[in-house]
Amino acid sequence: CAATLVISPSALVVEETADMERALMNTDGALGITTSTVALQSEGAIRALTLDGVAPNDAAVRSGAYELVRSVYLVTRANPGNAVDALLSFIASERGRQVMAENGAIAR
């Protein structure tokens, strides 16, 4: 349980995705949490770990076999306006889903 986790004084703790990406790419033996898009776009410099013998691929994420996943929500105020409506429509479209998949996002 993380409640009893003691973080080493020599550990580098980062909060931003870009900082984590840099730390994972530039620190020997680094271990961290980031997104599938960062791992894919790193062209092999960052790799997602196999957990309990399950590789982190689209099928394993969709089926629930790969359990270390997090949901991402798009949120807005009520009646956000035409520009936001257009963006949300694009994201929900076949082309929008294709763009997300090409960049490593996995829709469940």
Side-chain angles (χ1 to χ4, degrees):
C1 177
T4 60
L5 180 67
V6 177
I7 298 176
S8 167
S10 64
L12 175 62
V13 178
V14 298
E15 296 181 11
E16 299 296 325
T17 301
D19 295 334
M20 178 62 75
E21 179 181 4
R22 278 189 293 280
L24 289 169
M25 292 181 79
N26 298 316
T27 308
D28 289 339
L31 177 67
I33 296 176
T34 192
T35 66
S36 59
T37 55
V38 168
L40 178 71
Q41 292 172 3
S42 78
E43 299 178 344
I46 298 171
R47 68 178 178 88
L49 301 177
T50 295
L51 300 174
D52 295 327
V54 179
N57 57 46
D58 291 6
V61 169
R62 284 193 182 100
S63 73
Y66 192 82
E67 297 181 11
L68 186 58
V69 298
R70 66 178 177 184
S71 297
V72 175
Y73 299 95
L74 297 174
V75 297
T76 184
R77 297 156 87 185
N79 305 315
N82 293 337
V84 173
D85 287 341
L87 174 63
L88 295 175
S89 292
F90 173 74
I91 290 169
S93 73
E94 185 174 327
R95 177 66 182 134
R97 291 179 181 274
Q98 180 183 358
V99 168
M100 288 189 294
E102 288 170 356
N103 285 281
I106 301 171
R108 288 192 282 161

